[in-house]
Amino acid sequence: MASRPVDFLLVGLGNPGSEYTTTRHNAGFLFIDYLANVMAMDQKWRVPPVLQRRMNLTADVQDVVFSYEKGAVSNSLRIILAKPLTFMNESGVAVKKIMDFYQITDPKRVIVVSDDINTLPGSLAIQDGGDLKSLAGQKGQESIATVLGTTSFIRFRLGVGKPLSGSPTTIPQWVLGPFSRDNKEMDLFAYLMSHTTQALLDFVQTNDLKLCRKKFTKSKKIPNNLVPTESLISPVIIEGM
């Protein structure tokens, strides 16, 4: 597989450590584990999926070839799934190492998935380009933009909302707090992971971000009959620990 260029690097942002596993700030980690399971089941790979702990890259990674059919045409993509082992605010260090190792030079081949307090729970925002202000204070994305020297990478931002007006909860307390069953928050995020998976797989197959944004963001309504969710954790195996 090493001779085949990487088509996309998919990076989920979060903080390492069991105390952060189900926090809102770890939305990107939760999503990567979920996506790895969806892809494994679709492709009839090993379940639970296996990620390799690569300390030289400061990340857990999975290097896969994803096959799909579009009409009568069969195609495949080499995709790297990654979860940086740096803390959120240093995510750019790991992303740069991964890009260098896999010889990825085009930032538009990098898709970063993270939490977004400025997007409502259950909703997806998709961005690329813009200035640092467009990153809206997401420190992991800011780190990546600073290290790479560009904001041209693609951002899939998973809505986690903010504390209610008048709440004593601060923004740091909110994002570092766990998803709750209150107000169907866990159900909304489980729906959002499924919805984002559809959006992401649609984009990597079409490479049409404008169409993807139109199909999966503003025009998409959250269903009323959300499926009750008991856990947001998807099983994965980490080898090389």
Side-chain angles (χ1 to χ4, degrees):
M1 197 185 301
S3 61
R4 175 175 179 169
V6 172
D7 293 292
F8 289 99
L9 166 62
L10 275 52
V11 182
L13 301 187
N15 288 312
S18 58
E19 66 270 36
Y20 299 109
T21 299
T22 59
T23 61
R24 299 177 183 92
H25 222 21
N26 271 40
F29 276 17
L30 289 167
F31 175 75
I32 289 293
D33 289 349
Y34 176 88
L35 177 64
N37 275 267
V38 170
M39 293 172 67
M41 289 185 284
D42 178 83
Q43 302 285 294
K44 297 180 173 58
W45 296 334
R46 176 179 173 182
V47 178
V50 177
L51 278 71
Q52 302 293 327
R53 178 144 295 179
R54 299 288 301 274
M55 297 311 298
N56 61 321
L57 304 181
T58 325
D60 292 337
V61 300
Q62 186 183 39
D63 184 351
V64 299
V65 172
F66 180 80
S67 301
Y68 65 94
E69 293 184 1
K70 197 171 183 64
V73 179
S74 297
N75 206 342
S76 64
L77 297 165
R78 184 182 177 195
I79 297 174
I80 308 296
L81 303 182
K83 299 191 298 182
L85 295 174
T86 58
F87 281 85
M88 175 70 78
N89 294 5
E90 300 295 328
S91 298
V93 174
V95 170
K96 182 67 165 59
K97 287 182 180 179
I98 298 166
M99 290 179 68
D100 288 347
F101 181 83
Y102 288 105
Q103 299 180 338
I104 302 167
T105 57
D106 183 358
K108 294 184 183 297
R109 292 288 175 180
V110 179
I111 303 172
V112 178
V113 183
S114 69
D115 63 305
D116 185 12
I117 61 172
N118 296 305
T119 299
L120 292 174
S123 297
L124 171 66
I126 301 175
Q127 298 176 325
D128 68 326
D131 56 20
L132 283 177
K133 289 182 179 179
S134 70
L135 305 182
Q138 216 294 337
K139 299 300 183 183
Q141 293 190 14
E142 288 182 356
S143 172
I144 295 169
T146 299
V147 173
L148 299 186
T150 181
T151 60
S152 294
F153 57 94
I154 296 163
R155 282 101 67 191
F156 277 58
R157 303 179 65 128
L158 311 183
V160 298
K162 295 180 181 180
L164 294 173
S165 178
S167 169
T169 303
T170 65
I171 293 298
Q173 289 171 335
W174 176 257
V175 297
L176 292 176
F179 285 99
S180 168
R181 287 189 170 85
D182 296 342
N183 301 313
K184 298 185 176 180
E185 185 185 12
M186 286 177 61
D187 302 346
L188 282 164
F189 190 72
Y191 159 77
L192 180 56
M193 288 197 292
S194 174
H195 178 66
T196 303
T197 296
Q198 295 176 48
L200 197 149
L201 293 179
D202 180 272
F203 168 67
V204 298
Q205 293 174 41
T206 63
N207 207 25
D208 189 334
L209 194 63
K210 183 177 180 180
L211 178 61
C212 182
R213 188 183 289 120
K214 182 178 180 180
K215 287 172 63 176
F216 294 98
T217 57
K218 295 179 181 179
S219 62
K220 192 69 176 179
K221 292 184 178 179
I222 297 171
N224 294 321
N225 55 336
L226 293 168
V227 177
T229 301
E230 294 300 320
S231 174
L232 297 173
I233 298 174
S234 303
V236 296
I237 296 171
I238 306 297
E239 292 187 347
M241 293 180 63

